[in-house]
Amino acid sequence: MEAAEQPVFLLGEGLNALEPAPFDTEAEFQALLARHPRILDFASLADGRPLRLVLVAREMRVPTSTESGSAYWLDHLFVDADGVPTLVEVKRAADTRVRREVVGQMLDYAANGARYWPAALLRRSFEETCAVDGRPLEDAYQELLGGQSPDEFWATVEERLAAGRMRLLFVADRIPLELRAIVEFLNRQLRQTDVYAVELTQYRGSGDHRVLVPRVHGEVATANKTQSRSAQAGRKWTRADMDVALERRSPEKRQVALALLEHAESAGRRLVGNRAGYPSFSGYFPASGREVPVWTLSLREDPGKDDLAFSFGSITHHLGSDATSAFANAPAGRRRT
């Protein structure tokens, strides 16, 4: 049995006791985080600067295919100055889905967002949110760009998504033990994705006095991963790194990977080494007058977890659904970009 939550005390002209109080509605809870993302700024950027999350969109649409039909809706999508996206799902303790069901929801959002959120869509969502909130774009971008152009910044965000470099945040007014255990397990298993549970307790007193106290779960399990990634943060992987990693793969897998890399190089496409905790490259192909990221090849420490991911959202955005479907369905020898 849990101990009763103790009040906090506000000292002013007198002593005002603030008692724990639930959020009236989930909508109120969500709106609070959208207005005040500093509540979630508990981590830091790669160079040690304080994390400052910036809202990309509330109720962000997450497609489940290249078609325009079914979709999920993520409560909040934020991004930081390193281009790392942060996906946030909010639940009140009264909602029984906060124990386990919310985890499946979040993994759906992360998997499909990585596939179907192109840079152009993310940028448009961010700029539309700024317009609705009445925030000048110049002020909003000042927190993010650090000398980059908006195109460069959002291309970095898209690369992070394709490589699985993101944060997943479960936010509730009370985090059950079941959710804490799942968060810690996922953090130990996922190399590039950080997973946290944030318990945000609200205290209310007389008048308009309110106090919000965040408590973060998952930081300890994230520490070793962060140190490993920091060692790689200053460099991008090279083609030589990929060749060394491929020496430890089976002949069949090595043949496929080399064919993919050599095709991109021989055809004059652009290969880009990613900043990840393992050898990773993205292939960019010309489409609609610009270079579009089409695939990301990642060679993990465990060869059984190697991954070839296609950026269907980016491809569809530039080519359209019909051209993308024709490309995907064509025999391998007849495909053209």
Side-chain angles (χ1 to χ4, degrees):
M1 180 176 178
E2 296 185 5
E5 192 83 42
Q6 296 297 310
V8 298
F9 298 94
L10 184 64
L11 185 61
E13 295 180 359
L15 188 66
N16 186 7
L18 284 72
E19 300 287 346
F23 293 94
D24 292 334
T25 64
E26 190 170 295
E28 175 200 7
F29 202 167
Q30 293 175 355
L32 176 71
L33 295 178
R35 288 195 308 270
H36 305 292
R38 284 290 304 274
I39 294 170
L40 303 176
D41 286 349
F42 54 84
S44 59
L45 300 175
D47 61 5
R49 286 179 295 154
L51 179 68
R52 292 291 181 267
L53 293 178
V54 177
L55 182 66
V56 175
R58 184 176 168 188
E59 294 297 328
M60 181 71 181
R61 186 176 184 273
V62 188
T64 59
S65 72
T66 57
E67 304 301 323
S68 59
S70 61
Y72 301 118
W73 297 91
L74 172 71
D75 287 341
H76 303 83
L77 177 63
F78 296 95
V79 71
D80 65 32
D82 283 342
V84 177
T86 297
L87 287 66
V88 176
E89 189 66 10
V90 179
K91 290 285 185 289
R92 291 188 300 156
D95 188 338
T96 57
R97 292 175 298 172
V98 76
R99 297 187 177 275
R100 281 186 291 268
E101 186 177 335
V102 69
V103 177
Q105 289 180 325
M106 180 68 89
L107 294 179
D108 271 336
Y109 302 152
N112 287 285
R115 291 165 66 90
Y116 302 117
W117 280 342
L121 171 64
L122 296 170
R123 178 176 180 174
R124 184 172 68 249
S125 299
F126 169 72
E127 294 180 355
E128 288 174 352
T129 295
C130 289
V132 170
D133 293 344
R135 187 180 188 193
L137 272 182
E138 183 177 352
D139 293 347
Y141 271 129
Q142 188 173 5
E143 298 182 36
L144 296 174
L145 297 185
Q148 303 176 82
S149 70
D151 280 346
E152 291 171 327
F153 175 78
W154 293 111
T156 297
V157 177
E158 184 176 22
E159 289 177 8
R160 299 276 195 253
L161 282 166
R165 181 73 182 95
M166 63 184 85
R167 297 184 196 89
L168 309 181
L169 268 59
F170 302 96
V171 184
D173 48 358
R174 185 173 296 279
I175 301 294
L177 290 175
E178 296 96 327
L179 181 57
R180 288 174 55 182
I182 294 171
V183 164
E184 291 166 3
F185 173 79
L186 289 174
N187 251 334
R188 289 193 298 270
Q189 302 303 317
L190 301 176
R191 296 294 301 276
Q192 291 300 309
T193 303
D194 294 336
V195 188
Y196 301 95
V198 181
E199 185 171 271
L200 187 62
T201 306
Q202 175 180 240
Y203 296 85
R204 288 184 178 272
S206 59
D208 295 328
H209 289 141
R210 298 171 70 190
V211 170
L212 301 171
V213 180
R215 184 179 296 111
V216 182
H217 303 281
E219 288 181 299
V220 174
T222 305
N224 291 335
K225 292 194 299 184
T226 302
Q227 292 171 3
S228 173
R229 286 198 300 261
S230 295
Q232 296 291 342
R235 63 184 287 268
K236 289 187 176 182
W237 291 99
T238 67
R239 175 59 196 276
D241 295 324
M242 295 292 283
D243 290 340
V244 170
L246 285 171
E247 290 177 0
R248 299 190 295 111
R249 269 55 187 180
S250 67
E252 294 81 7
K253 183 179 290 187
R254 185 164 59 248
Q255 181 180 8
V256 170
L258 288 173
L260 184 69
L261 294 167
E262 290 168 2
H263 169 263
E265 290 178 325
S266 64
R269 275 60 170 180
R270 185 163 65 99
L271 280 174
V272 177
N274 297 314
R275 300 180 191 272
Y278 43 75
S280 176
F281 258 79
S282 294
Y284 284 69
F285 289 70
S288 302
R290 59 167 294 177
E291 291 183 327
V292 177
V294 171
W295 52 258
T296 297
L297 174 64
S298 301
L299 303 178
R300 316 274 178 161
E301 184 175 339
D302 177 0
K305 297 182 179 179
D306 290 343
D307 182 59
L308 175 61
F310 288 88
S311 303
F312 290 110
S314 183
I315 299 169
T316 305
H317 176 79
H318 293 285
L319 299 183
S321 296
D322 292 342
T324 301
S325 297
F327 174 82
N329 293 327
R334 296 175 55 192
R335 290 176 183 166
R336 298 289 186 272
T337 56

